[in-house]
């Protein structure tokens, strides 16, 4: 069996933990993908994971494929400046004006790591704030979790993270203005940066209050710290100008990834020109990479942005998410479950709980076991939902009305079976 072989060569049999799908007998094995579908060892599934948000036009989109093939014909790496990467960056800057200059790297993890280093280099301060339940990739500065209390310091989420590194990271409850303001006042002039997911998509989907986002901007400005929006998920997904456009707040630095690489590896950190000019070779903050601005990722990303500029892909993807959110609430209600669905643009998540979901604590209070049972039943009926209540579902421009209605019919069956399994 493939999983046995995989376990012989990879820790836990996978190359990233979220692929383990521990609630299933074995991880899903992918064989192909096209439009809204994943082809797997368990048959064709309508995909709502969409590579954790990297795909927005649909899998194997012909325009993206074409751009990549054309690039391949010209060779695929030069490690020199190209005209394409300049055109690509100009396009991004036009849509996200807070990004006056940028550096193109290879993953969201690299982007946030470099943004934090840059903020520390620019401010000549060491302390950063991050938020409970926000995920910024897998590097030492941000692998810090929340303890109990308004703000906590230095509890690693991973073995191997030096205490000396993360004792410089305060973790504050997300979407809690009072806790945030109090913490900034305590840290004061030692604060280099605040890094935040302006819409949190790695702890389920949590849409913060506008006043929380405004407070981030006001308080960082007051103490001379930089505000970093981690828009690896939300950039070019919540519209062309991302979550910062949605909230009308201008951060000092932004990180991008996922959508802007069209499914190929990419990360970007960018922002105020005076801050970005601190990056090597124009300044003393070091970043370098053999694969930086990889021509294939740039070609794919540019094709995606050009498609998104037409508007139609957003319309289809957003309508799909809206319809699913409403439909799932109805289906769950009919089956007798208390379910809350949160949705914004082409993202949604459902929680087995009463009341609203506005904080990571609300997500923790949802019934995870029911979610995982539903996830397994949905696969049986041909739908691949986000693999945990702590992830987010994504729609794409390939999730047409027919696909959505087929999904809802499948979920109706899944909820009915769930009801009989748990004896409702
Ligand atoms: N930041 C956010 C908000 C993310 O969702 C992720 C990945 O899920 C990252 C950073 C890390 O990006 P990557 O997986 O490309 O390293």
């Amino acid at each position: 069996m493939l999983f046995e072989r995989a376990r012989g060569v990879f820790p836990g049999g996978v190359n990233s933990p979220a692929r383990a799908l521990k609630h299933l007998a074995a991880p899903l094995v992918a064989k192909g993908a096209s439009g809204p579908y994943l082809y797997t060892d368990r048959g064709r599934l309508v995909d709502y994971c969409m590579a954790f948000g990297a795909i927005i036009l649909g899998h194997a989109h012909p325009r993206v494929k074409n751009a990549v093939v054309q690039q391949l014909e010209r060779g695929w790496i030069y490690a020199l400046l190209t005209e394409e990467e300049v055109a690509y960056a100009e396009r991004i800057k036009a849509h996200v004006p807070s990004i006056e200059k940028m550096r193109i790297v290879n993953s969201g993890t690299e982007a946030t790591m470099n943004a934090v280093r840059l903020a520390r280099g620019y401010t000549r301060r060491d302390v950063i704030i991050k938020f409970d339940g926000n995920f910024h990739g897998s590097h030492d500065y941000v692998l810090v979790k929340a303890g109990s209390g308004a703000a906590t310091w230095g509890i690693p989420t991973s073995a191997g993270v030096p205490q000396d590194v993360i004792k410089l990271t305060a973790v504050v409850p997300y979407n809690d203005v009072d806790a945030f303001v109090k913490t900034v006042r305590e840290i004061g002039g030692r604060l280099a940066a605040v890094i935040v997911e302006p819409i949190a998509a790695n702890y389920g989907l949590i849409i913060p209050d506008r006043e929380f986002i405004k407070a981030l901007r006001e308080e960082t400005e007051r103490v001379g710290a930089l505000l970093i929006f981690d828009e690896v998920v939300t950039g070019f997904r919540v519209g062309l100008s991302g979550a910062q456009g949605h909230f009308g707040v201008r951060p000092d630095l932004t990180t991008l990834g996922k959508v802007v690489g069209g499914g190929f590896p990419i990360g970007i950190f960018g922002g105020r020109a005076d801050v970005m000019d601190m990056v090597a070779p124009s300044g003393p903050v070091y970043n370098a990479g053999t694969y930086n601005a990889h021509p294939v990722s740039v070609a794919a990303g540019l094709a995606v942005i050009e498609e998104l500029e037409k508007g139609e892909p957003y319309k289809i993807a957003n309508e799909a998410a809206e319809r699913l959110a409403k439909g799932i609430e109805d289906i769950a209600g009919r089956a007798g479950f208390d379910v809350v669905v949160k949705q914004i643009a082409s993202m949604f998540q459902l929680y087995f709980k009463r009341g609203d979901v506005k904080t990571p604590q609300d997500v923790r209070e949802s019934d995870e076991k029911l979610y995982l049972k539903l996830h397994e039943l949905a696969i049986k009926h041909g739908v691949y939902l986000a693999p945990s209540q702590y992830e987010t579902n994504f729609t794409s421009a390939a999730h047409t009305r027919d696909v959505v209605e087929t999904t809802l019919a499948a979920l109706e069956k899944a909820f009915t079976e769930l009801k009989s399994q748990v004896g409702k």
Side-chain angles (χ1 to χ4, degrees), residues 251-304:
D252 302 297
L253 292 174
T254 298
T255 55
L256 299 172
K258 304 217 186 209
V259 166
V260 293
F264 290 84
I266 208 153
I268 295 176
F269 65 103
R272 273 168 46 191
D274 62 324
V275 180
M276 288 306 294
D277 281 336
M278 294 284 285
V279 177
S282 63
V285 177
Y286 200 65
N287 165 269
T290 303
Y291 302 108
N292 278 5
H294 194 285
V296 173
S297 303
V298 165
L302 187 56
V304 169

Side-chain angles (χ1 to χ4, degrees), residues 198-245:
I199 295 169
N202 285 283
Y203 212 82
L205 175 66
I206 307 174
I207 305 162
D209 301 325
R210 198 171 284 271
E211 65 168 29
F212 173 70
I213 300 296
K214 287 226 162 101
L216 302 179
R217 181 63 287 176
E218 283 162 18
E219 288 296 305
T220 43
E221 231 160 54
R222 203 178 52 73
V223 297
L226 299 188
L227 177 58
I228 306 169
F229 272 9
D230 180 356
E231 297 226 43
V232 166
V233 169
T234 53
F236 287 83
R237 181 164 285 276
V238 184
L240 292 166
S241 57
Q244 55 196 270

Side-chain angles (χ1 to χ4, degrees), residues 52 106-110 112 135-138 197 201-202 230-234 255 257-258 266:
F52 294 102
N106 303 285
S107 68
T109 295
E110 276 183 61
T112 63
F135 177 69
H136 305 294
S138 48
E197 282 186 79
N202 285 283
D230 180 356
E231 297 226 43
V232 166
V233 169
T234 53
T255 55
K258 304 217 186 209
I266 208 153

Side-chain angles (χ1 to χ4, degrees), residues 292-339:
N292 278 5
H294 194 285
V296 173
S297 303
V298 165
L302 187 56
V304 169
I305 292 172
E306 285 173 358
E307 279 298 303
L308 291 174
E309 283 168 351
K310 296 177 184 166
E312 190 66 11
Y314 284 126
K315 191 165 174 289
I316 299 169
N318 295 357
E319 270 177 22
E322 267 166 48
R323 170 78 184 107
L324 285 159
K326 176 83 185 63
I328 290 170
E329 245 165 22
D330 291 349
I331 290 168
R334 278 200 295 278
F337 290 98
D338 289 318
V339 162

